[in-house]
Amino acid sequence: MATIDRNESVRVERRQDEPPRVDRGARPLQDTLRNYLALTKPRIIELLLVTTVPAMVLAAGGWPDFGVAVGTLIGGAFAAGGANTFNSYLDRDIDAVMHRTGERPLATGVLPARNALIFGWVLSVLAIVILALTSNLVAAALGVAAIAMYVCEMIDNDRARELLPPPSRPKERAAVMEWVMFQMGSFG
């Protein structure tokens, strides 16, 4: 059974037939970094990056500028990592009770939920800044739109409301997305 404290992490109560978790006290830096990396779901990011490179080659009609390519890959990885971290934050209670996801950092409580939320926002902001500086404002706007759409898909769940300020109702979401799309068109 999992209990949720929205200001802290999910605490998981294990059945008596399961072995107890060993509290190792202060975790080494390597374990902490590994847990934050796990929040970003790097296997999903890997798939994104594999498809990004051919798209850049086709769009450039050959190899793209090295700086633009690296910036796009890093910015895209950070945007996907931020969105995936928001997903980990929102689904921490569900992850805690599912066999496949029960060992994720927020499901087990090894990382505080608040820290994960901050980490997701930091990754997302860095992604947009990197895309704007190394590519262009359209790429940055697309990054914002991608993160927003990923999170908006989850807004029908009440727990997604913790992430975003208003508007969080469907009609207001549609207006915000229309505004984002209009702004993207005005960058050209």
Side-chain angles (χ1 to χ4, degrees):
M1 174 191 301
T3 58
I4 302 171
D5 177 352
R6 290 292 184 199
N7 295 322
E8 293 298 323
S9 57
V10 175
R11 290 176 184 31
V12 179
E13 298 170 14
R14 298 287 178 190
R15 295 188 315 242
Q16 289 189 355
D17 60 333
E18 292 184 47
R21 295 185 186 270
V22 177
D23 183 7
R24 293 183 283 160
R27 291 177 299 279
L29 179 62
Q30 184 178 10
D31 288 346
T32 301
L33 293 176
R34 186 178 304 119
N35 286 323
Y36 277 104
L37 180 64
L39 291 176
T40 68
K41 301 179 183 176
R43 301 280 300 193
I44 295 172
I45 295 172
E46 179 182 305
L47 296 173
L48 168 78
L49 298 181
V50 165
T51 60
T52 301
V53 173
M56 286 190 294
V57 170
L58 289 173
W63 287 105
D65 176 73
F66 183 75
V68 172
V70 169
T72 301
L73 292 171
I74 292 172
F78 280 22
N84 290 336
T85 299
F86 290 143
N87 176 263
S88 294
Y89 173 83
L90 292 171
D91 284 348
R92 64 193 186 276
D93 57 339
I94 296 169
D95 288 346
V97 295
M98 290 178 54
H99 177 70
R100 180 180 63 85
T101 59
E103 295 301 315
R104 289 184 177 168
L106 293 179
T108 59
V110 297
L111 290 178
R114 180 176 183 271
N115 291 7
L117 187 57
I118 292 168
F119 182 60
W121 279 109
V122 167
L123 284 175
S124 298
V125 169
L126 284 174
I128 304 318
V129 170
I130 290 168
L131 289 169
L133 293 176
T134 62
S135 186
N136 57 41
L137 293 178
V138 173
L142 288 170
V144 169
I147 294 166
M149 285 191 286
Y150 188 82
V151 173
C152 284
E153 284 298 314
M154 303 180 75
I155 284 189
D156 290 333
N157 300 321
D158 286 336
R159 59 182 164 252
R161 297 181 193 274
E162 297 174 38
L163 282 178
L164 298 174
S168 60
R169 291 183 291 282
K171 287 182 184 175
E172 294 168 328
R173 280 196 315 247
V176 169
M177 290 309 294
E178 289 170 2
W179 179 85
V180 168
M181 299 307 272
F182 174 79
Q183 293 301 318
M184 287 171 41
S186 67
F187 289 139

